[in-house]
Amino acid sequence: MVKHIVSFSGGKDSTAMLLRMLELNMRVDEIAFADTTFEFPELYDYIKRIEKHIQRKITFLQPQKDFWDWANGKVTRGKSKGKIRGLPLIAFPCWWTREAKIVPLQKLRQQKDANFYVGIAYDEKERMSSVDKNIKYPLVDWKWTEQDCVDYLNKKGLLNPLYVNFNRLGCWMCPKQGTGSLFVMWKNYPDLWKEMKKMELWQYQKKGRKFYFKDLSQMEEAFKLGYIPPNLPKYGCSHGCESVKRAFQERQCKLTEVGTS
């Protein structure tokens, strides 16, 4: 019998897809979350909140390889064969996304004859696979855009609190995040910011190249001098905004300059 598995990330699109599928009484046999081990603390709290709301358990898939073992491992082919792999490259597909998300989800699919439901919004339908017919895209079928997903979750009071300060969710150390995200990391996540700087230094020492588009120390100095990036979050709250902000602020430092308290 074909299984129906929802790929759930905790982001706005996959969450809206999941909740709407359940509202429509669409068959959902399993809900799978691929844990990168670099998720924000708020995301794990949010997953518990969604589980409580839908009265269903969400399956956690773990990467089979440790991030640092992989980073310290050797390249197995190509012109860099034999060299230390290093951290994910800035301008190329992320190998940790592959190892921690894509591979576990692919293995789950191989274990079971299944249709896989993926939360790609209508305004990003170019990301759809035209080859794998067992991957389903309900949001595209419904013509739901990213903003439609935000509005839907806001009406339910279930928008992920991380969207108060981020447009995109993912690993907190992601090398591809923009200046706006870096500003939030510096201001609201001082402990994680320190870890990011350690990773940046590690990359320089091991590979002699950058890990982030921007030098974190230089960005930190700019932030301390009052620079605020123009590209801050675009998703506003139309319903339940205060509850979303409160949930976020309960888990974060107060919005004051780091080091002034």
Side-chain angles (χ1 to χ4, degrees):
M1 181 181 293
V2 176
K3 295 284 187 181
H4 296 263
I5 302 175
V6 170
S7 177
F8 176 78
S9 69
K12 62 188 185 312
D13 300 334
S14 67
T15 304
M17 176 188 70
L18 169 63
L19 297 186
R20 186 57 177 161
M21 286 178 66
L22 294 174
E23 282 183 346
L24 295 174
N25 293 315
M26 294 174 65
R27 182 174 164 185
V28 176
D29 295 311
E30 188 171 0
I31 307 163
F33 170 74
D35 186 3
T36 65
T37 70
F38 286 94
E39 309 292 344
F40 284 93
E42 294 91 341
L43 183 61
Y44 297 112
D45 291 342
Y46 181 71
I47 291 173
K48 292 177 183 177
R49 184 180 171 195
I50 294 299
E51 285 181 325
K52 183 177 180 180
H53 178 79
I54 65 177
Q55 295 295 296
R56 297 275 296 268
K57 291 298 293 181
I58 295 173
T59 302
F60 273 59
L61 307 178
Q62 300 293 335
Q64 292 189 332
K65 299 178 180 179
D66 176 78
F67 176 85
W68 286 107
D69 285 347
W70 190 252
N72 278 294
K74 301 292 181 64
V75 177
T76 58
R77 61 180 181 272
K79 62 181 182 180
S80 298
K81 183 177 180 179
K83 296 181 180 179
I84 291 177
R85 184 173 287 106
L87 302 182
L89 294 170
I90 298 171
F92 291 85
C94 175
W95 56 254
W96 190 238
T97 296
R98 180 190 69 225
E99 295 301 317
K101 282 189 171 291
I102 297 173
V103 170
L105 288 168
Q106 285 179 338
K107 289 187 175 180
L108 178 63
R109 289 190 62 201
Q110 291 169 359
Q111 293 169 5
K112 305 175 182 180
D113 184 13
N115 285 329
F116 237 66
Y117 295 83
V118 177
I120 289 180
Y122 185 69
D123 43 357
E124 290 195 319
K125 57 182 180 293
E126 67 277 0
R127 295 172 51 210
M128 294 168 51
S129 170
S130 60
V131 178
D132 195 332
K133 301 304 180 183
N134 287 332
I135 299 181
K136 309 297 181 181
Y137 305 95
L139 295 176
V140 175
D141 295 338
W142 305 331
K143 296 185 178 180
W144 278 28
T145 65
E146 290 185 280
Q147 189 62 55
D148 288 330
C149 294
V150 170
D151 294 341
Y152 171 78
L153 294 172
N154 267 326
K155 289 177 182 178
K156 291 179 170 296
L158 288 172
L159 181 66
N160 190 322
L162 286 166
Y163 283 112
V164 172
N165 277 325
F166 295 98
N167 289 329
R168 300 284 178 184
L169 305 188
C171 296
W172 53 259
M173 54 70 174
C174 182
K176 301 179 187 296
Q177 58 189 308
T179 307
S181 293
L182 292 177
F183 176 77
V184 173
M185 293 302 302
W186 167 77
K187 193 169 187 180
N188 287 3
Y189 297 84
D191 292 341
L192 297 183
W193 180 260
K194 290 178 182 177
E195 292 303 312
M196 290 167 63
K197 292 179 71 176
K198 289 179 182 178
M199 296 177 80
E200 180 181 54
L201 179 61
W202 187 93
Q203 185 81 318
Y204 272 120
Q205 292 175 336
K206 294 288 185 177
K207 300 292 292 183
R209 64 173 181 240
K210 297 171 63 174
F211 182 41
Y212 294 95
F213 282 111
K214 307 286 187 178
D215 182 281
L216 296 188
S217 294
Q218 291 180 3
M219 293 306 303
E220 183 173 313
E221 289 304 311
F223 296 152
K224 287 180 178 179
L225 291 173
Y227 172 68
I228 298 177
N231 53 333
L232 294 177
K234 62 183 178 181
Y235 295 115
C237 299
S238 57
H239 299 271
C241 185
E242 289 307 312
S243 64
V244 171
K245 287 183 179 179
R246 187 164 56 252
F248 179 83
Q249 289 168 349
E250 285 174 356
R251 290 299 306 268
Q252 298 307 317
C253 302
K254 292 181 179 179
L255 297 180
T256 55
E257 296 295 336
V258 172
T260 60
S261 59

